[in-house]
Amino acid sequence: MMTERQVIQEILNSEAILYSFENVDEDSKEYTLLLQRQDKDVRPVEELNDEIKKYFESANFDYKEQLNPEGEGDIRLVIKRV
């Protein structure tokens, strides 16, 4: 069985997006990630977010996104296994 972190990495690697963990709360199984499109990725942020959201929801994650957050990144994502 895969851990939450492995499931997260599997999903994001399948979307070919750069990501970093901003905050990890192992006790509550909540993760905050910062996602960044790769240089040649021309998909609009909204489309990319919709694709990623489908994967996480099908894997039973609660999904809260912030598009184009202040500073770095295209999407700030807070996910938690439900």
Side-chain angles (χ1 to χ4, degrees):
M1 183 171 166
M2 291 199 296
T3 65
E4 277 87 9
R5 189 183 281 255
Q6 289 170 321
V7 172
I8 292 165
Q9 291 169 327
E10 182 87 8
I11 290 170
L12 295 176
N13 288 338
S14 74
E15 279 296 317
I17 190 163
L18 304 173
Y19 62 92
S20 60
F21 287 86
E22 274 192 331
N23 188 36
V24 174
D25 185 340
E26 294 288 352
D27 294 332
S28 70
K29 305 284 190 214
E30 184 173 286
Y31 304 86
T32 304
L33 297 106
L34 195 58
L35 311 181
Q36 177 76 44
R37 288 175 291 182
Q38 296 189 39
D39 290 340
K40 295 182 175 146
D41 192 344
V42 296
R43 294 175 287 181
V45 173
E46 296 80 8
E47 178 184 320
L48 182 59
N49 182 62
D50 288 344
E51 290 176 20
I52 293 169
K53 187 173 189 171
K54 281 191 297 192
Y55 286 119
F56 278 111
E57 288 179 341
S58 70
N60 295 318
F61 278 91
D62 183 40
Y63 186 100
K64 294 184 182 104
E65 75 275 5
Q66 178 186 5
L67 303 181
N68 302 308
E70 293 283 322
E72 298 292 315
D74 293 313
I75 303 169
R76 176 169 284 115
L77 179 57
V78 179
I79 53 177
K80 182 176 180 176
R81 204 68 178 268
V82 290

